[in-house]
Amino acid sequence: MLAMTGPVVAEAMFVNREEIPVYPLYRDPVHDFGFFRYDPGAIKFLKYDEIQLAPEAASVGLEIWVVGNDSGENVP
């Protein structure tokens, strides 16, 4: 379900400052977070490991962490 209020143009910046386009999947306007997708093949200069997801391990009350960028701050 895509819940967007308007067009979105966004990029992800990696630790080596490489930027790639990301595409919105979902946005929560109340809690101010969203999910984006990207093409892993677009990452040209950074080696990375794939993280295996385990949705079957999710349960009510399980602590999660959300990593992001607050208030549109930029990496210096």
Side-chain angles (χ1 to χ4, degrees):
M1 177 176 160
L2 185 62
M4 304 303 273
T5 58
V8 173
V9 176
E11 292 181 326
M13 180 185 294
F14 292 87
V15 68
N16 68 343
R17 299 191 182 274
E18 183 174 1
E19 296 181 19
I20 63 168
V22 294
Y23 307 96
L25 294 175
Y26 174 78
R27 177 180 175 267
D28 185 319
V30 174
H31 298 100
D32 193 24
F33 76 91
F35 293 100
F36 291 82
R37 67 177 173 82
Y38 66 93
D39 174 10
I43 302 171
K44 302 294 182 199
F45 305 106
L46 181 68
K47 291 184 180 182
Y48 58 91
D49 294 320
E50 182 177 347
I51 299 172
Q52 296 296 320
L53 300 179
E56 69 281 355
S59 63
V60 174
L62 182 67
E63 182 178 341
I64 64 167
W65 290 50
V66 178
V67 178
N69 184 349
D70 191 19
S71 300
E73 297 169 354
N74 290 319
V75 176

